[in-house]
Amino acid sequence: MSFKNYKALLLFFVLILFTKTVSAQQEFTLYHMSTLAQSSNLNPAVVPEYKVSVFFIPSVFGGFNNSAINVKSLLSPDGTVDYNKLINSLDEKKNYIGVGGKVEVFHVRFKAADNFFSLSSQVVADVRLNYPKDFLALPATGVAGNYSLSGLGVDMNTYIEYAAGFTRAKPDSKWTYGARLKWLNGIANIQTKKSEIDIQVHDDDIYSYDVNANMLVNVGAAVDGNKYKTLEDLSNIEINNFRDAWNEYKPNNGMAVDLGGTFQFTNKLSFGASVINLGFINWKNFKQNYHVDSHFSVEGVTADITPDTNLDSLFNAQVDSLVQAYGDEFKDGVDTSYNAYKTWLPTQVMLSAHYQLTPKFRTSASLFTEFYKGVSIGTVVGANYRFGRTFDLTATWWWFRKSATNLGIGMVFKPWFGQLYLVMDNVLPATLVKINDPELEINNLWLPYEAKNFNVRIGMNLVFGRIREASRLPVDGITKRKNGRRKYLYKPAFKH
């Protein structure tokens, strides 16, 4: 039995499908939930439902998305795993995996006259893996030929965001507008600035490789670069308590801005636009630049496999052997410098239209654009229904990056002074299928057939001073009304 890089392929596949690290995600459903103060993170011009909103249970977000890999791309008609089908479904140069997380540390938003002010802080983590088709084709086939891994790289960014927001909503104006200024403290970063990797597999008995790599990878961290010089130094940091962490913490600073506006076209139809994450982080404390210019050959391996062979032990032994044999040769082509560098946040632009069909039922559509190593465009349609004063339900259907089976659900429960919410993107896995593959020792494993993405956000706000005046939201109207000395924020009565 030939080894045929079987374990290598399985390792790559498991890494892609089940990675647990924490990437900037697209929260399409939250954008359409204007009753939540957190929706102002996506459009700072959103007018909330209450005069005061304070976090009670921190808002926690986590998500995963990828461009091509799902169960559908892996299964053959008989229910077994077909790697060739997966390889053929990939784009030649641009495939991606993204995983992300956000934890809201603090937020408060309050109304003063015709204005809303907000203060907030959150921790953001973003990891993105970009890879070409040959990244999986090489271990899957292992046949002689030329393979290009150019474009392969990891971008990881973790930072703390401190934000101050302002929204202006005059009763006699069709326009509302808002902005959020953000001070960023960079914690950790990996930036693949350049990636050119070519591999030639020779047609011999042991499938030897020629590797040519030309790369630039930047690494930054929130520690003193004069005290810690290498990644090995970082691994030796001892932190036993909060004081130790605070003494070691040397953030890398940056700035960003979010801008937004809405326009009330008619009593029922309104439009919105926002630009978020327009900013950068300068990595000036611990910073390292790895310039890779390596050219070396790798002798292949042979393995005799019997029914009693432990494949895990065999694979690990072969990998250890190759690393020991060629690791030093690769390192000879790596030069390290210590220059500061800048990373830009993935800027997002959103355009939307909202139509109030009834006082309780609203529909919406939006266009989403993200600028990250190119331009990605998505579209979303949504609907929101209010079940009295205690429950709101939002549903969205969105298309983004070759994925169209994406149903989002947002629920807001409003007991007393609380506002408990759960927001999920891609809760509909289309169909579930059962996988049986004796070779992989998989029996009766049920998985979603077409799902490529999943996001979830959960939290609870304390809210006070529900705006009961005629029309508290821009989508409800434009005409100014007065009752004695009191100004109503917007016009048509929002009936329950």
mmCIF file of all heavy atoms in Angstrom, residues 280-313:
data_model
loop_
_atom_site.group_PDB
_atom_site.id
_atom_site.type_symbol
_atom_site.label_atom_id
_atom_site.label_comp_id
_atom_site.label_asym_id
_atom_site.label_seq_id
_atom_site.Cartn_x
_atom_site.Cartn_y
_atom_site.Cartn_z
ATOM 1 N N PHE A 280 -6.297 52.148 11.213
ATOM 2 C CA PHE A 280 -5.032 51.415 11.182
ATOM 3 C C PHE A 280 -4.482 51.237 12.590
ATOM 4 O O PHE A 280 -4.931 51.890 13.545
ATOM 5 C CB PHE A 280 -4.013 52.181 10.339
ATOM 6 C CG PHE A 280 -3.730 53.559 10.863
ATOM 7 C CD1 PHE A 280 -2.734 53.786 11.811
ATOM 8 C CD2 PHE A 280 -4.481 54.647 10.433
ATOM 9 C CE1 PHE A 280 -2.488 55.046 12.313
ATOM 10 C CE2 PHE A 280 -4.240 55.922 10.936
ATOM 11 C CZ PHE A 280 -3.249 56.121 11.878
ATOM 12 N N ILE A 281 -3.474 50.376 12.711
ATOM 13 C CA ILE A 281 -2.692 50.203 13.941
ATOM 14 C C ILE A 281 -1.214 50.249 13.572
ATOM 15 O O ILE A 281 -0.783 49.567 12.623
ATOM 16 C CB ILE A 281 -3.017 48.864 14.635
ATOM 17 C CG1 ILE A 281 -4.494 48.811 15.032
ATOM 18 C CG2 ILE A 281 -2.138 48.680 15.875
ATOM 19 C CD1 ILE A 281 -4.916 47.480 15.634
ATOM 20 N N ASN A 282 -0.448 51.042 14.305
ATOM 21 C CA ASN A 282 1.004 51.080 14.129
ATOM 22 C C ASN A 282 1.648 50.122 15.120
ATOM 23 O O ASN A 282 1.440 50.235 16.332
ATOM 24 C CB ASN A 282 1.532 52.491 14.366
ATOM 25 C CG ASN A 282 1.160 53.445 13.240
ATOM 26 O OD1 ASN A 282 1.271 53.098 12.072
ATOM 27 N ND2 ASN A 282 0.706 54.638 13.592
ATOM 28 N N TRP A 283 2.445 49.199 14.626
ATOM 29 C CA TRP A 283 3.120 48.207 15.470
ATOM 30 C C TRP A 283 4.564 48.663 15.670
ATOM 31 O O TRP A 283 5.412 48.489 14.809
ATOM 32 C CB TRP A 283 3.036 46.826 14.829
ATOM 33 C CG TRP A 283 1.615 46.391 14.650
ATOM 34 C CD1 TRP A 283 0.813 46.622 13.577
ATOM 35 C CD2 TRP A 283 0.816 45.690 15.610
ATOM 36 N NE1 TRP A 283 -0.445 46.113 13.794
ATOM 37 C CE2 TRP A 283 -0.468 45.530 15.034
ATOM 38 C CE3 TRP A 283 1.057 45.183 16.882
ATOM 39 C CZ2 TRP A 283 -1.503 44.876 15.704
ATOM 40 C CZ3 TRP A 283 0.031 44.536 17.554
ATOM 41 C CH2 TRP A 283 -1.228 44.386 16.976
ATOM 42 N N LYS A 284 4.802 49.281 16.856
ATOM 43 C CA LYS A 284 6.090 49.916 17.124
ATOM 44 C C LYS A 284 6.831 49.323 18.314
ATOM 45 O O LYS A 284 8.005 49.616 18.502
ATOM 46 C CB LYS A 284 5.883 51.419 17.375
ATOM 47 C CG LYS A 284 5.396 52.190 16.168
ATOM 48 C CD LYS A 284 5.281 53.678 16.484
ATOM 49 C CE LYS A 284 4.880 54.469 15.258
ATOM 50 N NZ LYS A 284 4.794 55.931 15.539
ATOM 51 N N ASN A 285 6.160 48.560 19.151
ATOM 52 C CA ASN A 285 6.839 47.999 20.323
ATOM 53 C C ASN A 285 7.584 46.724 19.928
ATOM 54 O O ASN A 285 8.627 46.787 19.301
ATOM 55 C CB ASN A 285 5.831 47.786 21.446
ATOM 56 C CG ASN A 285 5.329 49.111 22.004
ATOM 57 O OD1 ASN A 285 6.108 50.041 22.180
ATOM 58 N ND2 ASN A 285 4.049 49.221 22.260
ATOM 59 N N PHE A 286 7.073 45.562 20.300
ATOM 60 C CA PHE A 286 7.699 44.333 19.789
ATOM 61 C C PHE A 286 7.303 44.185 18.328
ATOM 62 O O PHE A 286 6.115 44.076 17.992
ATOM 63 C CB PHE A 286 7.233 43.132 20.596
ATOM 64 C CG PHE A 286 7.818 41.835 20.107
ATOM 65 C CD1 PHE A 286 8.983 41.331 20.651
ATOM 66 C CD2 PHE A 286 7.198 41.110 19.093
ATOM 67 C CE1 PHE A 286 9.530 40.140 20.199
ATOM 68 C CE2 PHE A 286 7.730 39.921 18.632
ATOM 69 C CZ PHE A 286 8.905 39.428 19.190
ATOM 70 N N LYS A 287 8.284 44.187 17.444
ATOM 71 C CA LYS A 287 8.005 44.029 16.018
ATOM 72 C C LYS A 287 9.167 43.296 15.368
ATOM 73 O O LYS A 287 10.344 43.553 15.678
ATOM 74 C CB LYS A 287 7.751 45.367 15.322
ATOM 75 C CG LYS A 287 8.968 46.290 15.200
ATOM 76 C CD LYS A 287 9.221 47.112 16.436
ATOM 77 C CE LYS A 287 10.369 48.095 16.235
ATOM 78 N NZ LYS A 287 10.714 48.816 17.476
ATOM 79 N N GLN A 288 8.827 42.345 14.527
ATOM 80 C CA GLN A 288 9.829 41.579 13.794
ATOM 81 C C GLN A 288 9.358 41.381 12.363
ATOM 82 O O GLN A 288 8.167 41.191 12.109
ATOM 83 C CB GLN A 288 10.081 40.223 14.451
ATOM 84 C CG GLN A 288 10.768 40.317 15.803
ATOM 85 C CD GLN A 288 11.345 38.995 16.264
ATOM 86 O OE1 GLN A 288 11.038 37.945 15.727
ATOM 87 N NE2 GLN A 288 12.197 39.040 17.281
ATOM 88 N N ASN A 289 10.309 41.429 11.440
ATOM 89 C CA ASN A 289 10.030 41.252 10.011
ATOM 90 C C ASN A 289 10.859 40.076 9.509
ATOM 91 O O ASN A 289 12.093 40.109 9.561
ATOM 92 C CB ASN A 289 10.387 42.515 9.226
ATOM 93 C CG ASN A 289 10.112 43.791 10.008
ATOM 94 O OD1 ASN A 289 11.046 44.435 10.454
ATOM 95 N ND2 ASN A 289 8.847 44.124 10.199
ATOM 96 N N TYR A 290 10.188 39.036 9.055
ATOM 97 C CA TYR A 290 10.870 37.843 8.570
ATOM 98 C C TYR A 290 10.892 37.851 7.043
ATOM 99 O O TYR A 290 9.856 37.721 6.392
ATOM 100 C CB TYR A 290 10.168 36.589 9.085
ATOM 101 C CG TYR A 290 10.202 36.462 10.587
ATOM 102 C CD1 TYR A 290 9.112 36.865 11.360
ATOM 103 C CD2 TYR A 290 11.316 35.961 11.244
ATOM 104 C CE1 TYR A 290 9.136 36.761 12.740
ATOM 105 C CE2 TYR A 290 11.358 35.857 12.626
ATOM 106 C CZ TYR A 290 10.262 36.265 13.365
ATOM 107 O OH TYR A 290 10.294 36.176 14.736
ATOM 108 N N HIS A 291 12.095 38.026 6.501
ATOM 109 C CA HIS A 291 12.287 38.020 5.050
ATOM 110 C C HIS A 291 12.768 36.624 4.652
ATOM 111 O O HIS A 291 13.862 36.203 5.026
ATOM 112 C CB HIS A 291 13.313 39.072 4.644
ATOM 113 C CG HIS A 291 12.980 40.458 5.110
ATOM 114 N ND1 HIS A 291 12.331 41.376 4.327
ATOM 115 C CD2 HIS A 291 13.206 41.070 6.315
ATOM 116 C CE1 HIS A 291 12.168 42.495 5.012
ATOM 117 N NE2 HIS A 291 12.691 42.340 6.220
ATOM 118 N N VAL A 292 11.950 35.922 3.898
ATOM 119 C CA VAL A 292 12.262 34.543 3.524
ATOM 120 C C VAL A 292 12.705 34.508 2.066
ATOM 121 O O VAL A 292 11.987 34.972 1.166
ATOM 122 C CB VAL A 292 11.034 33.629 3.713
ATOM 123 C CG1 VAL A 292 11.374 32.189 3.314
ATOM 124 C CG2 VAL A 292 10.548 33.700 5.148
ATOM 125 N N ASP A 293 13.884 33.978 1.816
ATOM 126 C CA ASP A 293 14.385 33.749 0.457
ATOM 127 C C ASP A 293 15.104 32.406 0.473
ATOM 128 O O ASP A 293 16.330 32.331 0.565
ATOM 129 C CB ASP A 293 15.318 34.888 0.043
ATOM 130 C CG ASP A 293 15.713 34.799 -1.432
ATOM 131 O OD1 ASP A 293 15.092 33.982 -2.157
ATOM 132 O OD2 ASP A 293 16.628 35.523 -1.853
ATOM 133 N N SER A 294 14.327 31.339 0.402
ATOM 134 C CA SER A 294 14.852 29.983 0.573
ATOM 135 C C SER A 294 14.695 29.181 -0.711
ATOM 136 O O SER A 294 13.664 29.256 -1.394
ATOM 137 C CB SER A 294 14.120 29.265 1.708
ATOM 138 O OG SER A 294 14.388 29.881 2.953
ATOM 139 N N HIS A 295 15.727 28.408 -0.986
ATOM 140 C CA HIS A 295 15.718 27.518 -2.146
ATOM 141 C C HIS A 295 16.391 26.214 -1.707
ATOM 142 O O HIS A 295 17.590 26.190 -1.419
ATOM 143 C CB HIS A 295 16.489 28.139 -3.317
ATOM 144 C CG HIS A 295 16.099 29.549 -3.622
ATOM 145 N ND1 HIS A 295 15.015 29.881 -4.403
ATOM 146 C CD2 HIS A 295 16.653 30.725 -3.210
ATOM 147 C CE1 HIS A 295 14.912 31.200 -4.472
ATOM 148 N NE2 HIS A 295 15.898 31.722 -3.763
ATOM 149 N N PHE A 296 15.646 25.158 -1.634
ATOM 150 C CA PHE A 296 16.210 23.897 -1.180
ATOM 151 C C PHE A 296 15.406 22.741 -1.750
ATOM 152 O O PHE A 296 14.299 22.910 -2.277
ATOM 153 C CB PHE A 296 16.247 23.826 0.350
ATOM 154 C CG PHE A 296 14.899 23.972 1.001
ATOM 155 C CD1 PHE A 296 14.140 22.853 1.324
ATOM 156 C CD2 PHE A 296 14.391 25.225 1.297
ATOM 157 C CE1 PHE A 296 12.901 22.989 1.933
ATOM 158 C CE2 PHE A 296 13.154 25.371 1.907
ATOM 159 C CZ PHE A 296 12.414 24.248 2.216
ATOM 160 N N SER A 297 15.987 21.564 -1.650
ATOM 161 C CA SER A 297 15.358 20.339 -2.141
ATOM 162 C C SER A 297 15.052 19.417 -0.974
ATOM 163 O O SER A 297 15.812 19.347 -0.003
ATOM 164 C CB SER A 297 16.276 19.624 -3.143
ATOM 165 O OG SER A 297 16.503 20.442 -4.278
ATOM 166 N N VAL A 298 13.920 18.734 -1.075
ATOM 167 C CA VAL A 298 13.490 17.809 -0.036
ATOM 168 C C VAL A 298 13.369 16.423 -0.638
ATOM 169 O O VAL A 298 12.646 16.227 -1.626
ATOM 170 C CB VAL A 298 12.121 18.237 0.558
ATOM 171 C CG1 VAL A 298 11.658 17.225 1.602
ATOM 172 C CG2 VAL A 298 12.209 19.628 1.145
ATOM 173 N N GLU A 299 14.098 15.481 -0.074
ATOM 174 C CA GLU A 299 13.987 14.102 -0.518
ATOM 175 C C GLU A 299 12.690 13.501 0.028
ATOM 176 O O GLU A 299 12.371 13.670 1.201
ATOM 177 C CB GLU A 299 15.187 13.291 -0.025
ATOM 178 C CG GLU A 299 16.516 13.761 -0.577
ATOM 179 C CD GLU A 299 16.605 13.616 -2.081
ATOM 180 O OE1 GLU A 299 15.974 12.677 -2.614
ATOM 181 O OE2 GLU A 299 17.264 14.444 -2.722
ATOM 182 N N GLY A 300 11.948 12.846 -0.808
ATOM 183 C CA GLY A 300 10.703 12.230 -0.370
ATOM 184 C C GLY A 300 10.952 11.049 0.557
ATOM 185 O O GLY A 300 12.086 10.661 0.825
ATOM 186 N N VAL A 301 9.852 10.489 1.039
ATOM 187 C CA VAL A 301 9.951 9.354 1.952
ATOM 188 C C VAL A 301 9.161 8.187 1.381
ATOM 189 O O VAL A 301 8.222 8.353 0.613
ATOM 190 C CB VAL A 301 9.416 9.714 3.351
ATOM 191 C CG1 VAL A 301 10.236 10.826 3.967
ATOM 192 C CG2 VAL A 301 7.945 10.115 3.285
ATOM 193 N N THR A 302 9.561 7.006 1.764
ATOM 194 C CA THR A 302 8.819 5.800 1.435
ATOM 195 C C THR A 302 8.395 5.131 2.724
ATOM 196 O O THR A 302 9.037 5.287 3.759
ATOM 197 C CB THR A 302 9.672 4.837 0.600
ATOM 198 O OG1 THR A 302 10.847 4.502 1.340
ATOM 199 C CG2 THR A 302 10.058 5.483 -0.733
ATOM 200 N N ALA A 303 7.316 4.424 2.649
ATOM 201 C CA ALA A 303 6.810 3.753 3.843
ATOM 202 C C ALA A 303 6.116 2.463 3.436
ATOM 203 O O ALA A 303 5.300 2.454 2.522
ATOM 204 C CB ALA A 303 5.851 4.656 4.607
ATOM 205 N N ASP A 304 6.474 1.403 4.093
ATOM 206 C CA ASP A 304 5.795 0.127 3.899
ATOM 207 C C ASP A 304 4.721 0.004 4.960
ATOM 208 O O ASP A 304 4.989 0.017 6.155
ATOM 209 C CB ASP A 304 6.789 -1.026 4.007
ATOM 210 C CG ASP A 304 7.817 -1.001 2.881
ATOM 211 O OD1 ASP A 304 7.424 -0.607 1.760
ATOM 212 O OD2 ASP A 304 8.975 -1.352 3.131
ATOM 213 N N ILE A 305 3.492 -0.096 4.519
ATOM 214 C CA ILE A 305 2.359 -0.113 5.437
ATOM 215 C C ILE A 305 1.691 -1.482 5.395
ATOM 216 O O ILE A 305 1.377 -2.008 4.332
ATOM 217 C CB ILE A 305 1.338 0.978 5.065
ATOM 218 C CG1 ILE A 305 2.010 2.356 5.135
ATOM 219 C CG2 ILE A 305 0.120 0.943 5.980
ATOM 220 C CD1 ILE A 305 1.115 3.495 4.723
ATOM 221 N N THR A 306 1.533 -2.046 6.554
ATOM 222 C CA THR A 306 0.828 -3.317 6.705
ATOM 223 C C THR A 306 -0.452 -3.077 7.493
ATOM 224 O O THR A 306 -0.658 -1.995 8.050
ATOM 225 C CB THR A 306 1.724 -4.326 7.450
ATOM 226 O OG1 THR A 306 1.899 -3.876 8.797
ATOM 227 C CG2 THR A 306 3.080 -4.458 6.771
ATOM 228 N N PRO A 307 -1.337 -4.048 7.552
ATOM 229 C CA PRO A 307 -2.565 -3.871 8.343
ATOM 230 C C PRO A 307 -2.303 -3.536 9.807
ATOM 231 O O PRO A 307 -3.167 -2.960 10.470
ATOM 232 C CB PRO A 307 -3.271 -5.226 8.200
ATOM 233 C CG PRO A 307 -2.798 -5.742 6.877
ATOM 234 C CD PRO A 307 -1.365 -5.299 6.770
ATOM 235 N N ASP A 308 -1.127 -3.884 10.319
ATOM 236 C CA ASP A 308 -0.821 -3.606 11.724
ATOM 237 C C ASP A 308 -0.116 -2.271 11.938
ATOM 238 O O ASP A 308 0.203 -1.905 13.073
ATOM 239 C CB ASP A 308 0.058 -4.731 12.291
ATOM 240 C CG ASP A 308 -0.660 -6.073 12.281
ATOM 241 O OD1 ASP A 308 -1.898 -6.069 12.444
ATOM 242 O OD2 ASP A 308 0.023 -7.096 12.090
ATOM 243 N N THR A 309 0.139 -1.533 10.850
ATOM 244 C CA THR A 309 0.877 -0.275 10.971
ATOM 245 C C THR A 309 0.027 0.791 11.650
ATOM 246 O O THR A 309 -1.141 0.987 11.298
ATOM 247 C CB THR A 309 1.302 0.224 9.572
ATOM 248 O OG1 THR A 309 2.138 -0.762 8.949
ATOM 249 C CG2 THR A 309 2.073 1.534 9.702
ATOM 250 N N ASN A 310 0.622 1.481 12.603
ATOM 251 C CA ASN A 310 -0.035 2.627 13.243
ATOM 252 C C ASN A 310 0.260 3.862 12.397
ATOM 253 O O ASN A 310 1.370 4.394 12.412
ATOM 254 C CB ASN A 310 0.497 2.809 14.665
ATOM 255 C CG ASN A 310 -0.254 3.882 15.430
ATOM 256 O OD1 ASN A 310 -0.511 4.954 14.910
ATOM 257 N ND2 ASN A 310 -0.604 3.579 16.679
ATOM 258 N N LEU A 311 -0.745 4.310 11.643
ATOM 259 C CA LEU A 311 -0.524 5.405 10.702
ATOM 260 C C LEU A 311 -0.174 6.706 11.414
ATOM 261 O O LEU A 311 0.633 7.501 10.912
ATOM 262 C CB LEU A 311 -1.765 5.600 9.833
ATOM 263 C CG LEU A 311 -2.099 4.453 8.876
ATOM 264 C CD1 LEU A 311 -3.355 4.789 8.086
ATOM 265 C CD2 LEU A 311 -0.941 4.192 7.917
ATOM 266 N N ASP A 312 -0.766 6.949 12.568
ATOM 267 C CA ASP A 312 -0.463 8.178 13.301
ATOM 268 C C ASP A 312 1.013 8.222 13.692
ATOM 269 O O ASP A 312 1.690 9.241 13.502
ATOM 270 C CB ASP A 312 -1.329 8.286 14.557
ATOM 271 C CG ASP A 312 -2.775 8.580 14.235
ATOM 272 O OD1 ASP A 312 -3.006 9.235 13.201
ATOM 273 O OD2 ASP A 312 -3.667 8.147 14.991
ATOM 274 N N SER A 313 1.504 7.136 14.238
ATOM 275 C CA SER A 313 2.907 7.099 14.648
ATOM 276 C C SER A 313 3.826 7.215 13.445
ATOM 277 O O SER A 313 4.851 7.916 13.481
ATOM 278 C CB SER A 313 3.200 5.805 15.407
ATOM 279 O OG SER A 313 2.413 5.724 16.582
#
